[in-house]
Amino acid sequence: MATLPLAGIRVLDLSTVLAAPVTATFLGDFGAEVVKIEEPARGDFTRGTATGGRSPYWAQEARNKKSVTLDLRTERGRNLVRDLIPHFDVVITNFRPPTLRAWGLDPDTLSALAPDAVLVYVTGYGLTGPYSDRGSFDRIASAFAGLTHVTGDPDRPPVRSGYSTIDYMAAYLGAFSVVTALYHRDTRGGGGQVIDLALYEAGFRSSEDALTSYATTGRIRERLGNRNPQIVPASDFTTSDGRRVSLHAGTDPLFRRLAALMGTPELAEELRYATRAARAEHAEGLYAAIADWVATHTADDVTKLLSDADIPASPLMSIADIAVDPHYRERGTLVTVDDPEFGELPMVAPLPRMSRTPGSIRTTGPALGAHNAEIYQGLLGLDAEDYAALDADGVI
């Protein structure tokens, strides 16, 4: 295997649930040595048990990591982590600012300990601002970012995304910021720096033109369900086998192809449907016609018809659909790895795909504390007596 692009970069994952540790996972996928600090006896939340076991979720999100246990609620534990920090290029944490200050993990303290380290703080509201001391999770960040407000049907209450979307968006922002900071440090002669990433900011960055539109027109983006009032037709429809298919024929050329495929090419010539603006004004009648046509086909058949006509379309895929889909498998978006506990385990591949420096899954999520001796004795240089005392006292 070729040398991975982040080989030689050492990352301390001092975080839990979910954006911050996944940031470390992304870096590990591309070769960084990631050491994860976990609570003794219990371990990380994504292990899925109260006794430090291993869940399939843990196997995926703690892949390519080393597990080290440390009780940060003790002064000895906090001193130990401060001893570790100068040995790392990157430190990632998501404790709330009051905890950071109380435990001596704030930016000023860590920058003094390791001036060349990249310090990543993923917090709910950021390190500054009137809400900085508040806690958050994906659900709360989605609400604060305005994402929940615009999600769902207009005649029903808002809903959050079915996945922890903001957590993973923030993780990609976090990984991007780390690589940018390392480039600045290692190729531009810069030192370390602090990355201050608020969880809600990842969701807010996806808000398209909502803010600029509001500023210039006063329009407040509201829930639209599956439709976009300015792009018609673009929605989801029910097929003869009871599934749902999403299609997008919102441009004039795409709509002409759709009208021809439906056997009604004259629709594209009617004044009420001939342009995007006209279709937006007469959407209901058009959507009814498309729904009637889609309902005469199965999901697989209508998706093929649309795709063959070069009209973007896809069934609404469940995870069961994805698990057996040939495109996911053949492209390598989904890979199967050998896990010591779960056997052949499918999981999301390292993304994105890179032609010369692709990521890899070298190990799945480790057993709790599996690398204690390697890190505390090998890296930090503790002697056997000190190591045994820390273990006996429950500090590690």
Side-chain angles (χ1 to χ4, degrees), residues 226-240:
N226 287 315
R227 299 184 185 180
N228 184 323
Q230 301 176 26
I231 302 175
V232 177
S235 190
D236 302 340
F237 302 90
T238 302
T239 60
S240 63

Side-chain angles (χ1 to χ4, degrees), residues 202-280:
F204 181 59
R205 189 61 184 88
S206 71
S207 61
E208 301 173 2
D209 67 338
L211 180 60
T212 54
S213 178
Y214 173 70
T216 54
T217 70
R219 183 176 68 90
I220 298 175
R221 181 79 71 92
E222 299 291 351
R223 292 181 297 287
L224 302 169
N226 287 315
R227 299 184 185 180
N228 184 323
Q230 301 176 26
I231 302 175
V232 177
S235 190
D236 302 340
F237 302 90
T238 302
T239 60
S240 63
D241 53 350
R243 297 174 67 192
R244 296 278 284 177
V245 166
S246 185
L247 68 85
H248 189 310
T251 68
D252 293 344
L254 284 173
F255 180 64
R256 286 194 290 271
R257 292 177 206 160
L258 177 61
L261 183 63
M262 292 169 57
T264 54
E266 65 277 5
L267 283 179
E269 306 303 324
E270 293 186 21
L271 289 179
R272 58 179 176 162
Y273 299 143
T275 65
R276 190 179 76 175
R279 290 192 298 275

Side-chain angles (χ1 to χ4, degrees), residues 33-321:
E33 178 189 0
V34 180
V35 176
K36 181 169 184 63
I37 300 295
E38 300 189 72
E39 183 180 353
R42 296 179 60 88
D44 189 82
F45 179 85
T46 52
R47 285 184 175 274
T49 72
T51 56
R54 298 176 71 254
S55 66
Y57 196 14
W58 172 258
Q60 173 177 276
E61 297 307 354
R63 66 194 188 195
N64 300 323
K65 295 186 181 184
K66 297 177 178 179
S67 172
V68 169
T69 52
L70 184 60
D71 188 353
L72 292 170
R73 294 180 177 85
T74 67
E75 184 60 31
R76 290 164 71 191
R78 294 191 291 272
N79 288 336
L80 202 56
V81 82
R82 285 191 284 269
D83 289 340
L84 281 170
I85 283 169
H87 295 272
F88 288 81
D89 300 281
V90 181
V91 179
I92 302 173
T93 186
N94 62 351
F95 295 116
R96 292 167 57 187
T99 302
L100 295 171
R101 294 189 293 268
W103 288 0
L105 299 174
D106 56 279
D108 289 343
T109 300
L110 296 196
S111 294
L113 287 172
D116 289 329
V118 175
L119 307 174
V120 186
Y121 291 87
V122 184
T123 58
Y125 295 88
L127 297 176
T128 61
Y131 307 154
S132 60
D133 286 357
R134 296 181 181 180
S136 185
F137 290 99
D138 179 276
R139 173 183 295 276
I140 308 307
S142 180
F144 190 69
L147 184 60
T148 306
H149 180 81
V150 299
T151 304
D153 293 320
D155 58 343
R156 296 183 180 182
V159 295
R160 68 176 288 270
S161 170
Y163 292 125
S164 296
T165 305
I166 288 184
D167 275 329
Y168 283 85
M169 292 168 63
Y172 273 119
L173 273 179
F176 164 76
S177 68
V178 167
V179 173
T180 302
L182 290 173
Y183 179 82
H184 170 75
R185 186 193 73 174
D186 296 339
T187 69
R188 296 298 176 89
Q193 60 180 294
V194 175
I195 296 168
D196 177 5
L197 176 59
L199 193 58
Y200 76 89
E201 290 171 335
F204 181 59
R205 189 61 184 88
S206 71
S207 61
E208 301 173 2
D209 67 338
L211 180 60
T212 54
S213 178
Y214 173 70
T216 54
T217 70
R219 183 176 68 90
I220 298 175
R221 181 79 71 92
E222 299 291 351
R223 292 181 297 287
L224 302 169
N226 287 315
R227 299 184 185 180
N228 184 323
Q230 301 176 26
I231 302 175
V232 177
S235 190
D236 302 340
F237 302 90
T238 302
T239 60
S240 63
D241 53 350
R243 297 174 67 192
R244 296 278 284 177
V245 166
S246 185
L247 68 85
H248 189 310
T251 68
D252 293 344
L254 284 173
F255 180 64
R256 286 194 290 271
R257 292 177 206 160
L258 177 61
L261 183 63
M262 292 169 57
T264 54
E266 65 277 5
L267 283 179
E269 306 303 324
E270 293 186 21
L271 289 179
R272 58 179 176 162
Y273 299 143
T275 65
R276 190 179 76 175
R279 290 192 298 275
E281 291 183 10
H282 301 91
E284 291 306 319
L286 182 56
Y287 276 125
I290 297 171
D292 289 344
W293 176 73
V294 171
T296 65
H297 300 278
T298 66
D300 290 342
D301 286 346
V302 77
T303 300
K304 187 175 189 308
L305 286 170
L306 290 162
S307 298
D308 289 348
D310 205 18
I311 300 166
S314 173
L316 273 59
M317 303 280 278
S318 73
I319 198 63
D321 298 322

Side-chain angles (χ1 to χ4, degrees), residues 364-377:
T364 54
L368 182 62
H371 302 89
N372 278 3
E374 175 186 338
I375 300 303
Y376 289 131
Q377 294 184 283

